[in-house]
Amino acid sequence: MDDIVLQTHDDMAREILRDNDRGGHTIPTSGLYPYQWNWDSVFVSLGLAEFDMNRAWRELATLFEAQWPDGMLPHIVFREDNPSYFPGPPVWQADNGPLSSSGITQPPVAASAIVDLARRDPERARPFLRKLDAWHRWFHEARDPDGLGVIAITHPWESGRDNLPDWDAPGAAINVAGVGDYNRRDTDMVVADMRPGKEDYDRYLALVRFGAKRKWNQKIISAESPFFVADPGTTAILLRSERDLASLGRLLDEPVCGVEDRIARLESGFDRFWNPEVENYCAYDLRTGKHAAEATSAGFLALYAGVTKKTGELVRQLEEFDRSVEFMVPSFDPHSPLFDHRRYWRGPVWAHVNFMIARGLSDVGEVAWANRLRSDTAALIRNAGFTEYFSPLSGEGCGGGNFSWTAAVWLAWKLGEVEGFDRWAK
């Protein structure tokens, strides 16, 4: 691939981020996701930092403008009521923070991004240090009330991996009788077989209404919600972020009290996710005490978190996945009958997840695998564009187009530098 084509992809990625800029915050893509999403904005900041550092810091600042007094950072910030998205502010009824928002959070990747940016400009990170600490403390208090060292989610959306089959069995306990009729907007813009099904959406809305009726009181929700599932993905990301928060405190000569104790608790608790029948770290239903029965891409994030005792088993499972797909890493076990290569989190490849898994693999010395994920991600984007996610079988781009975090990963991971590797032609 010559330099002109490579530069074109860099230019396209920057253009997507500029086009999705809404004056200080970036939307994931026009129409389908018209608001500011939590972990989307964090990955966007890494991409913006490659060409506009001031704008990268601004992206993070606008996100933290929505932080609740209890420390929670919501998963959506509603800066308007846009009819193209459902459920919007009137359904959430979450007025607990300074800005209109949803009542749940998303995986806490912010500290890891901020410490990366801070290595270039430490003082710009100082205003975020205590805000990050408050958010992390909130996770331990609101999502691990029994101190088990595992972080639970109270809504599938909180995991960031919305319709993963892991949530099917726990979701069966959700009463959807009062959901009633509603008009989804997502399937007006993306073909239905790439999106969560109606049964999933009924459960999503039932949980939103459950929280709204309790005025998003987290203690009540944790105690009473029918859906309370320990998530290896969220826990791994928090553990990595706690380590990076400690590093940020040292960089700024401003130690973070209690962070080392929190790290130790998460390290100890992570063993609870190990499912010996699957040989991977699997979600754990805290209401029933049952593990999910299949492997997902989230299990590989253990290495990103610095949990290395099962490195050999995880690499062997990567090899098993690789025998069944053309592009790595599928979000769900491709050997399962529930695998669906085009439907949201039931099979497709996501660039930002590959980015985190590869970093973990590199940390433990699995450089060849890390490079493989980088090459696959580059090939997918080159051949299918900057879409939301990709089929691991065909390489087809799926979901929304001109997607911000895909563009950001291209820039932050410097995928334009990947040469001589085209999985499309395998």
Side-chain angles (χ1 to χ4, degrees):
M1 183 101 33
D2 59 42
D3 291 342
I4 295 175
V5 174
L6 293 177
Q7 184 61 42
T8 298
H9 279 86
D10 288 351
D11 289 343
M12 288 172 61
R14 287 189 286 264
E15 182 179 359
I16 287 169
L17 295 182
R18 292 187 181 112
D19 286 349
N20 288 337
D21 189 333
R22 294 298 181 267
H25 73 278
T26 304
I27 63 170
T29 189
S30 182
L32 187 61
Y33 301 111
Y35 299 115
Q36 184 175 26
W37 259 259
N38 185 324
W39 69 334
D40 293 71
S41 269
V42 175
F43 283 105
V44 162
S45 73
L46 293 175
L48 289 169
E50 296 303 312
F51 64 96
D52 190 341
M53 185 62 79
N54 286 333
R55 183 62 187 79
W57 286 113
R58 178 61 180 153
E59 186 73 25
L60 294 162
T62 60
L63 177 62
F64 276 88
E65 287 173 357
Q67 189 168 28
W68 288 17
D70 65 1
M72 197 269 277
L73 194 62
H75 100 291
I76 309 175
V77 184
F78 300 118
R79 296 178 184 273
E80 60 181 9
D81 188 0
N82 192 311
S84 72
Y85 181 80
F86 177 86
V91 180
W92 284 95
Q93 300 178 47
D95 301 318
N96 306 51
L99 299 175
S100 178
S101 73
S102 63
I104 59 174
T105 191
Q106 268 189 329
V109 290
S112 297
I114 288 171
V115 79
D116 281 353
L117 270 57
R119 292 189 178 103
R120 296 180 243 181
D121 190 353
E123 285 305 309
R124 296 289 292 270
R126 195 174 296 278
F128 295 96
L129 186 67
R130 299 305 159 192
K131 296 176 182 179
L132 290 166
D133 184 38
W135 188 24
H136 291 191
R137 288 179 182 275
W138 176 90
F139 269 104
H140 290 269
E141 293 166 4
R143 296 294 182 260
D144 184 19
D146 296 325
L148 300 176
V150 294
I151 302 301
I153 57 171
T154 60
H155 194 296
W157 287 341
E158 210 159 46
S159 72
R161 304 180 329 279
D162 303 9
N163 66 325
L164 191 73
D166 288 16
W167 321 137
D168 292 356
I174 300 168
N175 183 355
V176 300
V179 168
D181 296 329
Y182 56 91
N183 182 22
R184 287 176 65 173
R185 308 294 165 79
D186 59 320
T187 49
D188 295 336
M189 291 170 269
V190 176
V191 294
D193 68 359
M194 293 183 182
R195 298 292 297 171
K198 184 181 186 305
E199 183 178 39
D200 295 313
Y201 245 82
D202 286 349
R203 292 170 177 175
Y204 301 157
L205 292 179
L207 289 173
V208 171
R209 287 174 176 151
F210 177 90
K213 286 180 180 178
R214 288 151 185 82
K215 301 186 182 300
W216 299 106
N217 182 307
Q218 300 300 331
K219 288 185 178 179
I220 295 175
I221 291 170
S222 294
E224 299 180 359
S225 176
F227 187 91
F228 199 63
V229 183
D231 174 30
T234 300
T235 305
I237 289 169
L238 178 61
L239 179 49
R240 173 71 181 230
S241 285
E242 291 280 39
R243 298 188 199 279
D244 287 333
L245 178 62
S247 297
L248 183 62
R250 291 190 292 269
L251 179 66
L252 298 175
D253 197 21
E254 193 173 339
V256 180
C257 182
V259 68
E260 297 297 342
D261 291 338
R262 301 196 306 255
I263 290 170
R265 184 162 59 250
L266 292 172
E267 287 178 332
S268 176
F270 209 86
D271 287 343
R272 293 177 183 272
F273 291 117
W274 186 255
N275 184 341
E277 295 181 2
V278 178
E279 293 196 314
N280 207 321
Y281 294 100
C282 296
Y284 184 76
D285 188 343
L286 290 166
R287 297 296 186 237
T288 66
K290 295 181 179 179
H291 278 107
E294 284 112 346
T296 76
S297 58
F300 303 117
L301 290 173
L303 304 180
Y304 176 74
V307 177
T308 61
K309 62 181 69 176
K310 299 291 187 180
T311 298
E313 290 90 332
L314 294 175
V315 170
R316 282 195 292 273
Q317 192 146 86
L318 281 173
E319 293 168 351
E320 286 295 319
F321 277 24
D322 187 34
R323 293 187 181 98
S324 297
V325 300
E326 292 292 312
F327 301 91
M328 292 287 279
V329 176
S331 50
F332 188 65
D333 188 345
H335 306 102
S336 169
L338 298 175
F339 174 77
D340 187 336
H341 72 112
R342 299 171 79 238
R343 192 181 294 277
Y344 218 42
W345 288 95
R346 300 179 85 88
V349 177
W350 297 74
H352 69 297
V353 177
N354 274 8
F355 179 83
M356 291 186 288
I357 294 173
R359 177 171 278 195
L361 287 163
S362 180
D363 288 345
V364 299
E366 292 288 343
V367 177
W369 265 112
N371 289 340
R372 164 66 189 282
L373 267 57
R374 185 168 178 248
S375 297
D376 276 18
T377 307
L380 286 164
I381 295 171
R382 282 178 180 145
N383 288 285
F386 293 95
T387 57
E388 186 177 3
Y389 50 94
F390 306 85
S391 164
L393 301 183
S394 68
E396 175 188 4
C398 302
N402 295 326
F403 215 83
S404 291
W405 66 14
T406 309
V409 167
W410 175 275
L411 294 170
W413 212 355
K414 297 177 173 54
L415 295 183
E417 297 176 1
V418 177
E419 298 180 7
F421 193 107
D422 191 352
R423 297 282 296 171
W424 191 269
K426 181 179 175 181

